Amino acid sequence: MWLAQRIGCNRLIIESDSLTAIEAVNQREAFGPDVVVITECNHMRLEFASMSCDHCFRESNEVDDALAKHSFSSRCSEVWEESIPDFISPFIVKDLSII
């Protein structure tokens, strides 16, 4: 959401294979350790003209899954504005071949 806001998007579609996370954001309430993240998402939601959060299955979300795994294993945040990282290229090619 932060990146979309940073590059000037005003309409946003968020997809995740975590049904629990999607339900929490859509219901705009959370309890337990996720309350801070959900609350922040709901505050940022107001910055967009429109925003939807949709569930999708992991098989249709392989690029995001690879990015999340990379972020977890490298323990850092990165932004690629000019090129596609090599580790997700095969997943992007696979997605494009399905379309």
Side-chain angles (χ1 to χ4, degrees):
M1 292 175 76
W2 176 83
L3 178 59
Q5 187 180 40
R6 180 177 169 222
I7 63 173
C9 293
N10 63 2
R11 294 177 185 184
L12 187 63
I13 299 171
I14 296 175
E15 294 181 331
S16 174
D17 59 7
S18 172
L19 184 57
T20 304
I22 293 298
E23 288 174 344
V25 172
N26 284 336
Q27 293 172 4
R28 298 183 182 188
E29 60 183 45
F31 304 98
D34 300 330
V35 70
V36 174
V37 174
I38 300 304
T39 301
E40 182 67 20
C41 287
N42 289 327
H43 286 297
M44 290 188 74
R45 171 179 281 208
L46 301 174
E47 302 295 322
F48 296 95
S50 68
M51 185 181 110
S52 68
C53 297
D54 303 321
H55 176 259
C56 64
F57 294 99
R58 182 169 291 156
E59 295 79 16
S60 64
N61 205 20
E62 290 184 89
V63 174
D64 294 335
D65 190 54
L67 286 168
K69 287 177 181 172
H70 173 77
S71 178
F72 183 77
S73 66
S74 68
R75 301 279 186 204
C76 67
S77 295
E78 300 174 62
V79 176
W80 302 282
E81 295 179 359
E82 300 296 324
S83 61
I84 298 169
D86 291 338
F87 69 92
I88 61 168
S89 294
F91 301 111
I92 292 173
V93 169
K94 182 179 174 187
D95 279 356
L96 292 174
S97 67
I98 293 172
I99 296 174

